[in-house]
Amino acid sequence: MNFLEERIIQEGIIKSPTTLLVETFLNDQIDIALMDKIGQEFYHRFKDCPITKVLTIETSGIPVAYPVARAFGVPLVIARQARTAKMGSDVYEVELDPSIHPRKDTVVVSKKHLSAADRVLIIDDLLANGGTLQCLISLVETADATIDGLGVAIEKGFQEGGHRIRNLGYHLESLAIIDSLNPITGEILFRIQ
Amino acid sequence: MNFLEERIIQEGIIKSPTTLLVETFLNDQIDIALMDKIGQEFYHRFKDCPITKVLTIETSGIPVAYPVARAFGVPLVIARQARTAKMGSDVYEVELDPSIHPRKDTVVVSKKHLSAADRVLIIDDLLANGGTLQCLISLVETADATIDGLGVAIEKGFQEGGHRIRNLGYHLESLAIIDSLNPITGEILFRIQ
């Protein structure tokens, strides 16, 4: 069991067979020492890639992606879930097909921050159905930049996202993959990686 | 001129007499080395306070507050602009009087993350009319926690927020206070502190 899986066991709260709360250390209240460890771990897993940008999406992706960008010594680019007034019109904007994805997923980033020369590592806190990560992938591809990999802190292995993204051929690393949550016994089953 | 003022001169874009874009290093694309310097600077200015939590608000506050929490070795608490599904109902929620503030300012944080024992340093990227900071102040006071200070990267000195918050008796530190922006000449006038 790795450091993140241990922390999930200690503090994660199972709300339902599909919902785990990690708000005391990963969302809402952030344990910076843990984030720094996550940053080092992703650096270790992707250090052979010539990363030029770390890309994440507001809000919960930011505290996970910050220490990754720090470890690589590259800028952190934050995609928004809607265009901001200051962004202007010169943006990459991607919206997933709402007939496939029940939740509307839109991501926007200014064209200034991604170019064809960029080698991108996409980081997020959580992977479930993969809609948000697929938007980020499309965004990077629209910019003609290269995706060297994707990293998430926690993958819900019982949902489709991880399977789908690996099937597309991307190098996806998840620090903890949860295969099942039992709200009655409190058991969390991690996939052995 | 300090390191942040220098960077603003180098890369800030004056869109109007009241609007400065800092999206290439402080918003949207984050220069992590600069953020680390900001974290060290706020640590230096507040190091005599027994801070237990750094509090900020999504989205743009997070990259500025992360290195501050890191420097103090305390958790970073992220207030939301709306209640999230996972938050439940056990929250502190503050809304500013819309008759005074044209933009609706709401901030929400789970009661788990702030208590009467906490000594709080509030951090944000930008201070203009002060509505958001006033919400964060009310939030901390609702929790009966103590506010040891407030820090912002950039204060628009030609708007009311800084004056208003200092008049309430709070210790507010701004790394750069802009007294005027001239979109014609490109001149940025900083207040000498």
Side-chain angles (χ1 to χ4, degrees):
Chain A
M1 199 173 287
N2 70 27
F3 66 94
L4 182 59
E5 292 166 335
E6 277 172 13
R7 189 64 174 271
I8 292 167
I9 293 288
Q10 284 164 20
E11 289 187 35
I13 296 168
I14 303 169
K15 290 291 275 188
S16 79
T18 57
T19 310
L20 176 76
L21 301 185
V22 289
E23 55 178 347
T24 57
F25 57 99
L26 189 70
N27 298 148
D28 295 356
Q29 178 167 275
I30 313 298
D31 178 335
I32 303 285
L34 184 79
M35 295 305 112
D36 282 354
K37 267 184 147 170
I38 289 176
Q40 286 303 320
E41 182 59 31
F42 280 126
Y43 178 74
H44 175 72
R45 296 188 187 199
F46 290 102
K47 67 177 183 299
D48 296 330
C49 303
I51 307 296
T52 63
K53 297 269 169 81
V54 170
L55 174 67
T56 191
I57 181 150
E58 63 181 344
T59 294
S60 300
I62 304 170
V64 181
Y66 185 107
V68 182
R70 192 172 192 274
F72 277 96
V74 301
L76 171 63
V77 177
I78 301 171
R80 302 286 184 145
Q81 297 195 39
R83 207 182 285 200
T84 65
K86 284 185 177 178
M87 239 175 209
S89 57
D90 212 17
V91 296
Y92 300 115
E93 185 162 9
V94 171
E95 200 169 309
L96 271 198
D97 184 347
S99 66
I100 301 171
H101 297 271
R103 191 169 61 90
K104 190 175 172 252
D105 274 303
T106 307
V107 299
V108 194
V109 78
S110 165
K111 287 189 179 175
K112 289 179 196 166
H113 307 323
L114 282 181
S115 75
D118 280 319
R119 306 286 300 245
V120 180
L121 177 57
I122 296 171
I123 297 286
D124 207 357
D125 60 327
L126 193 71
L127 169 57
N129 72 16
T132 305
L133 281 191
Q134 283 194 287
C135 278
L136 291 171
I137 289 170
S138 298
L139 206 70
V140 177
E141 288 178 343
T142 307
D144 283 328
T146 304
I147 297 168
D148 274 314
L150 301 97
V152 297
I154 302 174
E155 176 182 337
K156 291 181 174 176
F158 51 85
Q159 285 184 251
E160 280 302 298
H163 186 68
R164 195 180 288 154
I165 286 164
R166 290 185 184 94
N167 267 5
L168 290 170
Y170 294 104
H171 177 192
L172 167 65
E173 293 279 343
S174 302
L175 301 192
I177 303 179
I178 296 172
D179 272 334
S180 73
L181 296 168
N182 189 328
I184 294 155
T185 62
E187 197 187 20
I188 300 171
L189 192 67
F190 293 107
R191 190 174 304 171
I192 294 164
Q193 298 194 63
Chain B
M1 198 172 289
N2 71 27
F3 65 94
L4 182 59
E5 293 166 333
E6 278 173 12
R7 189 64 174 269
I8 292 167
I9 292 287
Q10 282 163 22
E11 288 187 36
I13 295 168
I14 304 169
K15 291 290 275 189
S16 78
T18 56
T19 310
L20 176 75
L21 301 185
V22 289
E23 56 179 344
T24 57
F25 58 98
L26 189 71
N27 300 149
D28 297 353
Q29 177 169 275
I30 312 298
D31 178 335
I32 303 286
L34 184 79
M35 296 305 112
D36 282 355
K37 265 182 146 171
I38 289 175
Q40 286 305 319
E41 182 60 31
F42 280 126
Y43 178 74
H44 175 74
R45 296 188 186 198
F46 290 102
K47 68 178 184 298
D48 296 332
C49 304
I51 306 297
T52 64
K53 297 271 170 78
V54 169
L55 174 67
T56 192
I57 181 148
E58 61 180 347
T59 296
S60 300
I62 304 170
V64 180
Y66 184 108
V68 181
R70 192 172 192 273
F72 278 96
V74 301
L76 171 62
V77 176
I78 301 170
R80 303 285 184 147
Q81 298 196 38
R83 207 182 285 199
T84 65
K86 285 184 176 177
M87 240 175 208
S89 57
D90 212 17
V91 297
Y92 301 114
E93 184 162 10
V94 171
E95 199 168 312
L96 272 197
D97 185 345
S99 67
I100 301 170
H101 296 272
R103 190 169 61 90
K104 189 175 173 251
D105 275 302
T106 307
V107 299
V108 193
V109 78
S110 165
K111 287 188 179 174
K112 289 180 196 165
H113 308 321
L114 281 180
S115 76
D118 280 317
R119 305 287 298 246
V120 181
L121 177 57
I122 296 172
I123 297 287
D124 207 357
D125 60 326
L126 193 71
L127 169 55
N129 72 16
T132 304
L133 281 190
Q134 283 193 289
C135 277
L136 291 171
I137 287 170
S138 298
L139 206 70
V140 177
E141 288 179 342
T142 307
D144 283 327
T146 304
I147 297 168
D148 274 313
L150 302 98
V152 296
I154 301 174
E155 175 182 337
K156 289 181 174 176
F158 51 85
Q159 285 184 252
E160 280 303 295
H163 186 68
R164 195 180 287 153
I165 287 164
R166 288 184 184 95
N167 268 4
L168 290 169
Y170 293 103
H171 177 192
L172 166 65
E173 293 279 344
S174 303
L175 302 192
I177 302 179
I178 295 171
D179 272 334
S180 72
L181 295 167
N182 188 328
I184 295 157
T185 63
E187 197 186 22
I188 300 171
L189 192 69
F190 293 107
R191 190 174 303 170
I192 294 163
Q193 297 194 64

